[in-house]
Amino acid sequence: MFSKFTSILQHAVEALAPSLPLQEDFVYHWKAITHYYIETSDDKAPVTDTNIPSHLEQMLDILVQEENERESGETGPCMEYLLHHKILETLYTLGKADCPPGMKQQVLAFYTKLLGRIRQPLLPHINVHRPVQKLIRLCGEVLATPTENEEIQFLCIVCAKLKQDPYLVNFFLENKLKAMSSKESTIVITEDVLKGQDTLGTDTGQPIQPEETPGAAGAERMEKEDELPQQADDLSFSLDELNVASSPESSTVCPNQDYNLVNSLLNLTKSPDGRIAVKACEGLMLLVSLPEPAAAKCLTQSTCLCELLTDRLATLYRALPQSLDPLDIETVEAINWGLDSYSHKEDASAFPGKRALISFLSWFDYCDQLIKEAQKIAAVAMAKTVRERFFVDVMEPQLMQTSEIGILTSTALLHRIVRQVTSDVLLQELVYFVLGEHREPETLPNINRHPLRHRLIEHCDHISDEISIMTLRMFEHLLQKPHEHILYNLVLRNLEERNYMEYKPLCQEDKDVVENGQIAGAIDLEEDPLFTDLSPDNTGAQEWLTVSPPVSPEHSKNDGKTEVHKIVNSFLCLVPDEAKSSYHVEGTGYDTYLRDAHRQFRDYCLICLRWEWPGSPRSLEKCNLEASFFEGHFLKVLFDRMGRILDQPYDVNLQVTSVLSKLSLFPHPHIHEYLLDPYINLASGCRSLFSVIVRVVGDLMVRIQRIPDFTPKLLLVRKRLLGLEPEGPVIDHMTLLEGVIVLEEFCKELAAIAFVKYHASSTP
């Protein structure tokens, strides 16, 4: 109480006293602080009961006033005094000792305001950046301390200053070798220091260049580096609540230099206070976005940032339950690293492991955004580390396991990551992780060159329908990502030579000759080894083969309208009338697919615009047609599944046809030709999407004859799928009937895609 009275009395005296020159006033307030330590014996009284906070505030106001009264960039006598007498060094010492209690908080606030309110560059001065550097080491040492808020404010203002002048980052890189040889002794607060004697050395007041900065770090800091907590959690939760042990990878030894600003921020990202953690993440975001290549190189090569970020990602991934419902993984609310205030008690849709899942996805989102904002050198380094230390070391063993529950959960998590990633650099590393970097055409013996790619594609045809559907969904979303290597690796590299076609140079008359409803030179289905089951006895199949519209003499590749008319009719007429049911239900016609096809094709064109694809197929004269054709592992599995559409569950068929329709939408001429042109002359032993469907329909025509009341049953199943009829007794051949409905809809979708693509190509 007495101290508060004296403080009020002092303010009154200062208000009545004549104004002193600024420097004298500044020295007076500093001397008042130092005299407190000389005269006071009670060092347990909190600093708020003293006049120290008031004197520090007055000193700051004087420095701001002095700068405002002088020309820009000119250093005044008060600032000269602060630098010459190493006031910041002394304040750091007092703050470190936290004497009196709460002094550390006051010192942090003074540093923050000084750097924030003074416009002239202070950090280049050795008597500023050296104590700032030391104070940084004190931040984040202990979590949930009363000074956390002041610590993060101080660190963020330093980051902001580095953002303004990136070259200043060099002042904050400390040489570890020097630090190890020069252990810092315990600092004793002596009367001489507090009196500001010149024995402390002098500062010229001039900024020094970065290369002149001596690297120095305290021994206690070096010892505590090995104790850096590697446990991690999202921005609002502590991993202690998840009972996760520290990962062995976390004990990372950093080379040569240390970047304590990064270390302190990384520690504060683990704060139980979500606001503190978010601010720490923002500080790191500022540091990685520094535009100087030298700064980015130091950040990634001379600090542990990449490893610590990735190790935390790995730790959070390992904290997830071994089994999670794929639907929960897919539908959990959108994760934003700065807004994940999850409350288990308030969540009506909680499920076991939701908190851990949100923590992992939140931190992955932060890593993704960090890489997205980072300078290119830093972004590449961080993304490569994520691939090596997380994708390969942690995720790949989970994806390669044999447990069906484990496969399903890990694939669902991979699917979520594919959907969530937005950084181009991280996306590239994810693509190379999943697919490998090979770009030469595939051959059947070498489809296992990239084991993970091979395993994931095999999972598209897994005995477990759930695994098949989830893996197909992952590939479907992967295909929609803006990276050229995805489609090239999966499909295009095998179509480059167009050796799926049989090339027979023909005269113009031969080109227009129609034989048995086929273009001259086309492979006869009865002679094709893929269609040996279409024997002459299968009269239904033989009749069906004649329902496709014949190619008229005016068929011409140069006439876009004629071409699209024939292609659309070819797909629409694939399914025979007795196997169609859509015309019995209103609103299920072919035209319903046109709007969706137009929108999706436009989106795909925007994705592929920068890839500079050719507008027309490669000339056959320049193609190596002698090379044997292999459609590639991905298309092989898709065609195999498409060939079994009449015997597969409805959900599997929907997913297979969805992936094939997405592939058909890509505006590459070879993809369009191979997947959407029924009139190409397939080379012997080759198959296309159209030929696979032809074979399925041929099989369907045989099986229809063995099912009584086929058409009424088909219509009933369609109405049940659309919700127009209530569920009733189980219908025989349900899988077949559902497969026929999917087949009909898929043919209409392909017809709509072909129409939209031809219309777009003929429009200037």
Side-chain angles (χ1 to χ4, degrees):
M1 187 69 186
F2 180 73
S3 61
K4 289 183 180 179
F5 175 75
T6 55
S7 176
I8 294 171
L9 184 62
Q10 179 188 345
H11 280 294
V13 171
E14 290 172 357
L16 296 173
S19 58
L20 297 172
L22 285 180
Q23 184 178 1
E24 291 184 25
D25 202 10
F26 184 82
V27 173
Y28 162 75
H29 288 292
W30 176 239
K31 295 291 186 182
I33 293 174
T34 58
H35 286 159
Y36 168 84
Y37 290 94
I38 299 170
E39 298 169 356
T40 304
S41 58
D42 182 13
D43 58 356
K44 293 182 180 179
V47 71
T48 50
D49 288 350
T50 72
N51 294 325
I52 293 176
S54 173
H55 287 304
L56 288 174
E57 191 65 35
Q58 292 290 331
M59 289 171 63
L60 192 63
D61 290 341
I62 291 171
L63 290 171
V64 172
Q65 181 183 345
E66 179 185 69
E67 183 179 52
N68 291 335
E69 292 175 356
R70 291 183 171 269
E71 294 182 6
S72 177
E74 185 181 348
T75 303
C78 296
M79 182 61 72
E80 290 277 8
Y81 185 90
L82 179 137
L83 297 172
H84 180 78
H85 290 82
K86 299 187 177 182
I87 289 177
L88 293 180
E89 286 275 6
T90 306
L91 285 175
Y92 157 73
T93 304
L94 299 174
K96 182 180 180 182
D98 200 27
C99 178
M103 189 60 186
K104 180 180 177 183
Q105 211 164 3
Q106 297 296 324
V107 171
L108 284 164
F110 181 81
Y111 272 61
T112 302
K113 293 174 183 177
L114 180 70
L115 294 174
R117 293 171 62 179
I118 299 297
R119 296 188 302 273
Q120 63 175 296
L122 293 178
L123 285 176
H125 293 275
I126 189 171
N127 285 342
V128 175
H129 71 247
R130 190 153 58 187
V132 165
Q133 194 178 66
K134 292 178 182 178
L135 193 59
I136 286 171
R137 295 184 214 137
L138 298 183
C139 299
E141 285 186 321
V142 181
L143 296 180
T145 62
T147 60
E148 256 194 351
N149 189 58
E150 285 75 18
E151 287 176 16
I152 195 61
Q153 295 292 339
F154 166 63
L155 294 176
C156 283
I157 195 66
V158 174
C159 291
K161 290 297 179 182
L162 297 185
K163 182 69 175 175
Q164 291 176 6
D165 297 299
Y167 80 95
L168 295 175
V169 72
N170 295 280
F171 293 121
F172 298 92
L173 297 176
E174 302 181 67
N175 191 313
K176 282 189 170 185
L177 299 178
K178 288 183 180 179
M180 292 177 69
S181 61
S182 57
K183 295 195 172 184
E184 191 175 38
S185 58
T186 304
I187 301 177
V188 180
I189 305 173
T190 64
E191 185 173 327
D192 287 341
V193 171
L194 295 173
K195 288 181 177 179
Q197 298 299 317
D198 291 345
T199 54
L200 293 172
T202 61
D203 179 17
T204 61
Q206 299 299 319
I208 66 169
Q209 296 304 312
E211 53 267 297
E212 297 172 12
T213 307
E220 66 178 47
R221 180 61 183 174
M222 296 302 301
E223 292 167 1
K224 287 184 179 179
E225 272 186 14
D226 295 331
E227 301 170 10
L228 274 176
Q230 303 304 317
Q231 301 262 358
D233 192 4
D234 68 325
L235 306 178
S236 299
F237 310 118
S238 165
L239 266 192
D240 294 337
E241 301 176 50
L242 298 174
N243 297 319
V244 179
S246 179
S247 61
E249 294 91 337
S250 301
S251 302
T252 308
V253 179
C254 299
N256 299 329
Q257 289 180 309
D258 197 11
Y259 198 170
N260 285 310
L261 184 55
V262 172
N263 294 333
S264 295
L265 287 169
L266 283 170
N267 285 340
L268 287 172
T269 62
K270 306 167 194 171
S271 170
D273 187 338
R275 295 168 302 172
I276 300 294
V278 169
K279 293 291 289 182
C281 288
E282 289 173 351
L284 288 171
M285 193 86 73
L286 284 174
L287 293 182
V288 300
S289 66
L290 296 179
E292 275 201 353
K297 189 174 180 181
C298 288
L299 186 76
T300 55
Q301 295 184 3
S302 300
T303 77
C304 304
L305 173 65
C306 299
E307 290 77 10
L308 293 177
L309 287 173
T310 308
D311 289 346
R312 181 177 298 187
L313 197 61
T315 304
L316 289 167
Y317 185 88
R318 293 190 181 101
L320 297 172
Q322 290 297 310
S323 175
L324 282 169
D325 188 334
L327 188 61
D328 289 335
I329 296 174
E330 184 172 352
T331 58
V332 70
E333 55 270 16
I335 303 300
N336 184 303
W337 67 268
L339 301 172
D340 57 330
S341 54
Y342 173 71
S343 172
H344 182 79
K345 295 179 180 178
E346 299 173 3
D347 188 3
S349 61
F351 56 85
K354 184 171 184 178
R355 171 180 251 181
L357 178 61
I358 289 179
S359 298
F360 166 71
L361 293 176
S362 173
W363 190 252
F364 180 82
D365 178 65
Y366 175 67
C367 292
D368 179 43
Q369 295 301 319
L370 197 68
I371 294 171
K372 190 175 182 177
E373 296 295 326
Q375 195 270 353
K376 188 174 181 180
I377 294 175
V380 169
M382 286 190 287
K384 285 186 179 297
T385 308
V386 170
R387 176 184 173 185
E388 294 166 3
R389 299 174 71 101
F390 175 63
F391 291 153
V392 174
D393 292 351
V394 180
M395 287 195 72
E396 186 168 350
Q398 297 297 311
L399 293 165
M400 297 289 283
Q401 65 181 301
T402 55
S403 163
E404 289 191 4
I405 294 176
I407 293 171
L408 188 60
T409 301
S410 58
T411 306
L413 288 167
L414 176 62
H415 175 220
R416 180 65 192 243
I417 286 173
V418 167
R419 285 174 49 206
Q420 193 167 313
V421 66
T422 59
S423 161
D424 290 340
V425 181
L426 185 56
L427 173 62
Q428 176 166 296
E429 295 301 326
L430 177 62
V431 169
Y432 289 160
F433 162 68
V434 173
L435 302 178
E437 302 182 35
H438 304 295
R439 292 180 69 86
E440 62 276 10
E442 292 178 80
T443 60
L444 205 52
N446 74 0
I447 59 174
N448 197 21
R449 287 185 64 185
H450 189 70
L452 179 60
R453 177 187 188 272
H454 179 265
R455 182 69 63 89
L456 288 172
I457 293 176
E458 287 292 308
H459 286 172
C460 294
D461 198 3
H462 198 274
I463 191 173
S464 164
D465 292 333
E466 275 192 293
I467 291 176
S468 295
I469 291 171
M470 181 51 62
T471 311
L472 285 165
R473 285 176 63 79
M474 187 277 295
F475 276 112
E476 181 181 2
H477 280 98
L478 189 64
L479 285 166
Q480 297 172 59
K481 288 293 178 177
H483 199 287
E484 181 268 348
H485 184 72
I486 300 169
L487 189 68
Y488 193 87
N489 179 277
L490 288 172
V491 178
L492 273 179
R493 57 173 167 164
N494 304 305
L495 307 181
E496 282 290 306
E497 297 297 333
R498 297 179 71 195
N499 47 347
Y500 46 83
M501 293 181 64
E502 183 176 53
Y503 178 52
K504 292 182 179 178
L506 300 173
C507 62
Q508 186 61 40
E509 294 178 1
D510 290 337
K511 290 181 182 179
D512 296 331
V513 173
V514 178
E515 297 177 358
N516 299 323
Q518 293 183 334
I519 301 175
I523 300 298
D524 191 340
L525 293 180
E526 294 182 25
E527 297 176 359
D528 194 321
L530 292 172
F531 297 92
T532 53
D533 55 342
L534 297 182
S535 64
D537 297 333
N538 294 339
T539 55
Q542 293 296 324
E543 291 172 3
W544 167 80
L545 287 175
T546 64
V547 302
S548 289
V551 183
S552 58
E554 64 268 16
H555 172 79
S556 169
K557 290 284 183 181
N558 297 324
D559 185 352
K561 293 182 180 179
T562 303
E563 185 69 20
V564 70
H565 165 73
K566 294 184 176 304
I567 288 179
V568 168
N569 280 344
S570 295
F571 282 111
L572 292 179
C573 294
L574 265 175
V575 179
D577 289 342
E578 54 265 48
K580 290 181 178 178
S581 55
S582 60
Y583 57 87
H584 293 291
V585 181
E586 187 177 351
T588 57
Y590 147 76
D591 55 323
T592 58
Y593 286 97
L594 285 173
R595 180 173 296 177
D596 284 342
H598 177 74
R599 176 183 54 79
Q600 292 176 3
F601 180 64
R602 182 186 57 205
D603 293 342
Y604 274 69
C605 286
L606 289 175
I607 291 174
C608 307
L609 194 61
R610 57 181 178 174
W611 299 342
E612 298 180 353
W613 280 346
S616 57
R618 187 180 179 187
S619 172
L620 285 174
E621 287 80 1
K622 297 179 180 179
C623 294
N624 180 17
L625 299 178
E626 299 301 321
S628 59
F629 175 70
F630 175 51
E631 63 259 36
H633 194 194
F634 188 58
L635 280 183
K636 177 185 181 299
V637 169
L638 290 177
F639 285 174
D640 289 347
R641 295 225 72 149
M642 189 67 206
R644 302 197 302 269
I645 192 172
L646 303 178
D647 303 297
Q648 294 174 155
Y650 179 69
D651 291 337
V652 173
N653 287 335
L654 287 179
Q655 195 57 56
V656 170
T657 54
S658 178
V659 174
L660 284 168
S661 66
K662 295 292 190 299
L663 283 173
S664 303
L665 281 162
F666 280 100
H668 193 286
H670 293 176
I671 286 182
H672 181 85
E673 179 179 65
Y674 185 59
L675 297 182
L676 289 178
D677 190 347
Y679 294 105
I680 59 172
N681 300 330
L682 286 175
S684 178
C686 297
R687 58 180 178 171
S688 66
L689 179 57
F690 188 81
S691 74
V692 171
I693 299 175
V694 166
R695 184 171 180 176
V696 170
V697 178
D699 179 37
L700 172 63
M701 292 304 298
V702 176
R703 296 166 69 171
I704 282 178
Q705 300 173 33
R706 304 170 188 163
I707 302 176
D709 301 322
F710 177 81
T711 303
K713 289 179 179 176
L714 186 66
L715 183 58
L716 179 59
V717 171
R718 177 179 280 274
K719 288 183 176 180
R720 283 186 181 179
L721 290 173
L722 292 173
L724 302 176
E725 287 283 343
E727 291 295 327
V730 177
I731 302 174
D732 294 336
H733 309 287
M734 178 66 81
T735 300
L736 172 66
L737 295 169
E738 289 177 340
V740 172
I741 292 170
V742 174
L743 180 64
E744 181 187 355
E745 296 304 310
F746 184 50
C747 288
K748 290 192 295 186
E749 186 175 14
L750 291 177
I753 292 171
F755 179 84
V756 167
K757 291 178 78 173
Y758 266 94
H759 179 72
S761 64
S762 62
T763 303

